[in-house]
Amino acid sequence: MHRMFRLITAALGVVVTSALCLTACAPAATAVPPTTAVPPTEQTGSLTVLDWAGYDAEDFWTDFKSTYPKVTVNFEIGASDADIYAKMKAGDQADIFHPYTGWLQFYVDEGLVEEIDTSKLSNWDKVPDSFKKIGQINGKQYFLPWDWGFTSILYRTDKVPEGITSWSALMDPRFAGHISMWDDGPGAVTVSTYIHGYDETQVTAEQLAAIQQEWTAQRDLNLFYWAGEPELIDAMASGDVWVAYAWQGAYAALLSQGVPVAYANPSQGRNSWVGVYGIRKGTKNYDLALKFLDDKLAPATGNNVVNLFYYGHSNQDVMNGITDAALKEAFSIDDPAILSKTNFTPNLTAEQRDAWTAMWAEVKAAP
Amino acid sequence: MLDRRATFWALLLPPLLWLGIFFVAPLLLMAAISFRADLSGEMLRPWVPTLVQYADLARVGSYWRLLGISALVALMIAMSATALAYPISYYLVFRAGSQANLYLLLLLIPFWTSYLLRVMAWKFMLGSGGVINSFLLYTGLIQQPLTALLYNRSAVVLTLIYVWIPFAALPIVAALQRIELSLFEAADDLGATPARRFWRVTFPLSLPGVLAAFFMVFIPTVGEYVTPLLVGGSRGSLYGNIIQDFFTKAGNWPFGSALSMIMLVFTLLLVALALRVVDLRRLVV
């Protein structure tokens, strides 16, 4: 009996060590031969992209596919910014990853991202400087801006004929039971800072406590916290939700379904976010990854982002070419001042991210 | 020919390795991470163990309260699912006769669709434009759709009971099938009424299956987070949702791990307590 126990503990020891080793020494990426001399159509190799569900569709990298038909592109799916960050942090071997504004500083601080050599990008001059800046951390271009959009209040014009002019509509008792907030702590903090005029980058402990109270009270007006856009779109189309925190993808989708909705221009300004691509530090496929990102900026891919996802693209030529009325409306393309009335999402610090998510968890757990 | 010892290890080693790598090791890793101050630096760098996560957790009363609520909700769901599964199992084993296999198959058919789809189906049942509301509006019993059906904790309880009934039926069926039919004859011969026969013979002998069903539902339901997310609304969150937020939204693994460890210990304590209160041997004998 004693001997068997020893055997089992020994076996478990082996198991634990090998499991730890699995996490630590993940397989290295396939090396790709130098890219010189080989024409693109003949180039082989493979790239791994850590991206969000849906972005793996070929529509969103169609230019790369046609230029480099023999390169295999593999996708790993991340569920959220935190998930993608956690994966990269745990040693994920993806060559390219796709975080959003708010999360960029962490990758640079933890040494997970390689600087982008923009001199090798043929489409880089199509990207406006305001977008380029978003991908710069500590003065270096670590990220390539790619998709962008607004956050604002989406509402049913038949249920709220007087319109919406403030972010505080999310806390308006008139809409009790017909409000839907995004299930996200930083999102909630952002809304409160707009309403009360707090500095979003310097929220104090007292302000955070007030924000927690505000959202705890809001909970009884809120029907449900939405996690994914389709869930929100369904509830707004059915008329259960009248007023919601939403991205303009939901707005464009509801417009095209013929649902009477409008996308508010709150007096405090809309929020705006940008999705960027980063290249993993230490990747053996750096040159190929650069080519992938360059083609991500190309027009066919950009048009698909705009037309299929209803999101903005960082290639200005693509945006200037939009003719569809619903899309023009969604991006407020005809309002030349829209970007100056918009609040860009600033980068979070680790302390803010933890404190704000904890605040949100306590809102949900409150009696 | 292999000797007995070699056969024993040859059979035991693959599952032991599997469980070790994919269950025990991650669990130990999670326990270890819960004693870490933060996740900065190398993932597997050595760190000084700290109780800071547990101290933070101890300060937030609402998490503890939610853990209690989650346990109560799980208790309610496990008891209801088991109680509802019992008559189904009884019918399958003693009354269905030659049709038993067909009915068992029908019971298992929901497993052919995804768990998520089955939960989503309840949105169509309970929603304001859903099956129940459409029916009530059609019959004229109500003029406005009932909004209280969906997006609350009752919807979570209802959905989970439905999801678990087929699972709960399986161990009860297995237990009932093991009962010797001659015992019923003996009970009849000794003059027991059908009700007395059930309570003195059938039910006690099926108790191991009933308890297995109960715990099979109770233990995973304490940490449930998907169903509250889909049908629970703003006030339907359970403890599992809080854990999920710290892992997938904050990327705060140390605090999420501490929350998970507390839940694990709490659930094990409850199970140990339940097994002590419900003395199996006393019940069966």
Side-chain angles (χ1 to χ4, degrees):
Chain A
M1 194 60 215
H2 191 73
R3 203 180 134 173
M4 199 168 96
F5 178 75
R6 269 210 329 243
L7 269 169
I8 290 175
T9 32
L12 274 179
V14 171
V15 160
V16 172
T17 352
S18 46
L20 290 180
C21 186
L22 269 180
T23 16
C25 20
T30 355
V32 167
T35 49
T36 45
V38 187
T41 45
E42 287 308 311
Q43 175 137 12
T44 55
S46 77
L47 272 177
T48 304
V49 183
L50 173 56
D51 215 320
W52 300 59
Y55 285 74
D56 51 334
E58 220 174 279
D59 297 321
F60 303 112
W61 49 286
T62 179
D63 292 279
F64 185 81
K65 180 75 191 170
S66 48
T67 326
Y68 297 91
K70 290 192 176 165
V71 174
T72 318
V73 181
N74 305 305
F75 283 89
E76 293 171 8
I77 301 301
S80 63
D81 263 311
D83 187 33
I84 289 173
Y85 175 63
K87 284 190 162 84
M88 293 308 293
K89 174 99 180 116
D92 195 295
Q93 294 294 296
D95 303 297
I96 296 168
F97 58 98
H98 188 185
Y100 281 78
T101 36
W103 287 77
L104 309 186
Q105 186 76 44
F106 305 132
Y107 293 94
V108 179
D109 290 349
E110 296 282 334
L112 300 171
V113 61
E114 189 73 68
E115 206 180 327
I116 290 176
D117 184 353
T118 54
S119 67
K120 290 189 180 154
L121 300 176
S122 62
N123 291 311
W124 189 239
D125 57 343
K126 311 251 171 46
V127 179
D129 287 342
S130 54
F131 278 122
K132 290 178 181 167
K133 276 209 189 69
I134 285 162
Q136 292 166 2
I137 305 277
N138 307 341
K140 289 180 178 167
Q141 193 76 45
Y142 281 107
F143 296 100
L144 177 129
W146 189 66
D147 56 331
W148 63 272
F150 293 119
T151 307
S152 184
I153 294 180
L154 181 59
Y155 62 96
R156 285 277 300 244
T157 48
D158 53 338
K159 312 279 186 189
V160 192
E162 68 276 22
I164 279 172
T165 54
S166 166
W167 282 96
S168 60
L170 289 173
M171 288 118 184
D172 194 331
R174 282 184 301 156
F175 311 131
H178 299 288
I179 300 172
S180 186
M181 175 62 194
W182 183 34
D183 188 2
D184 188 68
V189 171
T190 302
V191 169
S192 289
T193 60
Y194 294 169
I195 294 174
H196 302 293
Y198 300 156
D199 179 354
E200 195 182 350
T201 58
Q202 323 245 325
V203 176
T204 65
E206 294 81 55
Q207 287 172 345
L208 193 61
I211 290 172
Q212 183 176 330
Q213 273 193 350
E214 183 169 39
W215 285 101
T216 308
Q218 192 268 357
R219 198 164 57 137
D220 285 323
L221 310 174
N222 195 75
L223 186 61
F224 66 92
Y225 303 119
W226 61 269
E229 265 187 326
E231 194 186 3
L232 176 66
I233 291 168
D234 282 350
M236 289 205 76
S238 74
D240 284 349
V241 170
W242 303 347
V243 173
Y245 175 108
W247 303 319
Q248 97 272 24
Y251 174 47
L254 284 165
L255 274 188
S256 64
Q257 286 179 25
V259 180
V261 285
Y263 204 44
N265 271 311
S267 56
Q268 303 93 343
R270 287 180 182 173
N271 164 272
S272 179
W273 45 264
V274 181
V276 300
Y277 279 98
I279 301 178
R280 178 176 61 84
K281 201 175 193 84
T283 174
K284 294 193 173 69
N285 298 321
Y286 184 78
D287 289 324
L288 199 57
L290 267 187
K291 293 198 159 55
F292 186 82
L293 293 190
D294 196 17
D295 280 344
K296 272 279 198 183
L297 294 176
T301 304
N303 283 325
N304 284 341
V305 172
V306 170
N307 294 317
L308 302 180
F309 258 170
Y310 309 125
Y311 285 141
H313 190 253
S314 54
N315 183 332
Q316 196 60 37
D317 293 352
V318 169
M319 297 312 287
N320 292 340
I322 295 179
T323 50
D324 183 85
L327 280 170
K328 284 186 115 150
E329 188 66 37
F331 292 114
S332 300
I333 277 176
D334 294 331
D335 181 353
I338 188 72
L339 285 181
S340 61
K341 289 188 279 182
T342 294
N343 310 288
F344 279 90
T345 304
N347 275 313
L348 290 174
T349 64
E351 290 73 29
Q352 284 168 336
R353 182 195 59 201
D354 287 352
W356 296 3
T357 307
M359 181 284 290
W360 190 243
E362 285 177 47
V363 166
K364 289 202 275 184
Chain B
M1 189 178 137
L2 292 163
D3 69 11
R4 282 177 64 90
R5 179 172 293 265
T7 317
F8 172 76
W9 282 110
L11 287 174
L12 192 61
L13 212 54
L16 198 66
L17 273 175
W18 186 270
L19 277 177
I21 294 175
F22 297 111
F23 178 67
V24 179
L27 206 60
L28 291 177
L29 198 61
M30 193 176 76
I33 286 178
S34 76
F35 293 105
R36 205 172 150 156
D38 56 51
L39 265 192
S40 63
E42 285 296 310
M43 206 62 181
L44 290 169
R45 74 177 161 90
W47 65 86
V48 185
T50 164
L51 285 171
V52 62
Q53 307 298 346
Y54 291 93
D56 281 351
L57 209 165
R59 276 199 291 274
V60 187
S62 53
Y63 295 163
W64 296 93
R65 191 185 144 273
L66 195 60
L67 181 56
I69 289 178
S70 303
L72 278 179
V73 165
L75 185 74
M76 202 152 74
I77 291 166
M79 289 192 353
S80 310
T82 312
L84 290 170
Y86 199 95
I88 298 176
S89 316
Y90 189 90
Y91 181 82
L92 276 176
V93 176
F94 296 120
R95 293 281 182 274
S98 58
Q99 302 293 306
N101 283 335
L102 176 69
Y103 292 148
L104 191 64
L105 189 72
L106 287 176
L107 185 72
L108 296 179
I109 275 185
F111 291 122
W112 294 359
T113 62
S114 128
Y115 173 80
L116 273 180
L117 277 179
R118 278 178 282 146
V119 176
M120 289 300 283
W122 278 97
K123 278 184 108 155
F124 295 110
M125 291 291 287
L126 302 172
S128 64
V131 176
I132 293 175
N133 268 315
S134 316
F135 177 73
L136 291 176
L137 282 171
Y138 170 75
T139 56
L141 285 170
I142 53 170
Q143 308 306 322
Q144 286 290 316
L146 302 174
T147 49
L149 297 177
L150 190 58
Y151 298 126
N152 52 44
R153 203 164 268 143
S154 319
V156 177
V157 172
L158 186 67
T159 306
L160 281 173
I161 290 175
Y162 155 79
V163 165
W164 282 113
I165 286 176
F167 282 95
L170 295 180
I172 303 178
V173 165
L176 288 173
Q177 275 171 341
R178 275 198 303 269
I179 299 176
E180 282 281 346
L181 290 176
S182 56
L183 289 174
F184 297 142
E185 285 168 26
D188 287 341
D189 290 347
L190 292 168
T193 60
R196 197 174 165 82
R197 188 185 75 187
F198 174 78
W199 288 113
R200 294 300 296 272
V201 180
T202 320
F203 187 67
L205 286 174
S206 66
L207 262 181
V210 171
L211 283 176
F214 175 84
F215 287 119
M216 216 170 76
V217 179
F218 177 77
I219 294 171
T221 306
V222 177
E224 172 68 32
Y225 69 93
V226 176
T227 311
L229 215 54
L230 289 171
V231 301
S234 314
R235 279 189 164 274
S237 294
L238 293 177
Y239 191 77
N241 296 94
I242 305 298
I243 298 180
Q244 188 219 4
D245 276 0
F246 280 98
F247 273 101
T248 65
K249 291 204 160 252
N252 188 343
W253 291 12
F255 194 75
S257 302
L259 282 166
S260 308
M261 293 313 291
I262 293 289
M263 188 183 80
L264 185 72
V265 170
F266 181 73
T267 313
L268 288 178
L269 281 178
L270 280 182
V271 171
L273 190 75
L275 285 177
R276 180 150 290 222
V277 172
V278 187
D279 188 341
L280 255 186
R281 282 161 305 173
R282 194 169 51 82
L283 276 170
V284 174
V285 176

